[in-house]
Amino acid sequence: DVGIKDRTMVWNTDLIETLELENLINQAAQEMYAAEARQESRGAHAHENFPDRDDKNWMKHTLSYLDKPYVEDAKVILKYRAVIDQPLDKEMHHVPPAKRVY
């Protein structure tokens, strides 16, 4: 449990930091579930079990949200949206997806 001592509503940094912590915990929970569900390695989300990227099955955006307001009571819901891989105008040429090699 996290609590605050300062009860004022003006320049209450205690309250702001507590709200920021709640937001960070919310985001971290969603990111962990989304990373675990992705059965490939892509960018910063690398899996030892899935060392290669899989464009055929995973060229999509992961959308996540909580089904309840409080992270401790909520379940993370994952949905997906297609990637727009073509330019939206004629000013830019298409750049095909490629593996990052360093």
Side-chain angles (χ1 to χ4, degrees):
D1 290 337
V2 176
I4 58 172
K5 294 180 181 176
D6 186 353
R7 299 290 180 187
T8 63
M9 294 306 286
V10 179
W11 292 101
N12 189 338
T13 56
D14 213 15
L15 175 60
I16 297 298
E17 289 172 359
T18 303
L19 293 171
E20 288 174 349
L21 176 62
E22 180 182 30
N23 184 42
L24 289 171
I25 292 170
N26 180 331
Q27 289 179 33
Q30 292 180 57
E31 191 167 346
M32 288 187 303
Y33 276 89
E36 184 181 39
R38 191 169 275 269
Q39 297 179 350
E40 64 156 6
S41 287
R42 183 179 301 266
H45 295 287
H47 277 268
E48 290 180 0
N49 297 350
F50 307 102
D52 299 319
R53 65 186 268 165
D54 179 4
D55 287 346
K56 181 180 178 203
N57 297 310
W58 287 101
M59 184 62 80
K60 54 188 170 184
H61 295 291
T62 303
L63 309 172
S64 65
Y65 63 93
L66 298 177
D67 66 348
K68 293 184 180 162
Y70 300 108
V71 68
E72 61 270 15
D73 302 326
K75 193 169 118 183
V76 175
I77 307 298
L78 298 178
K79 294 190 176 188
Y80 301 95
R81 181 177 64 85
V83 170
I84 299 171
D85 65 345
Q86 297 294 324
L88 300 177
D89 58 28
K90 301 290 182 196
E91 292 183 28
M92 184 65 182
H93 65 281
H94 172 65
V95 178
K99 185 176 182 177
R100 293 182 190 177
V101 181
Y102 301 101

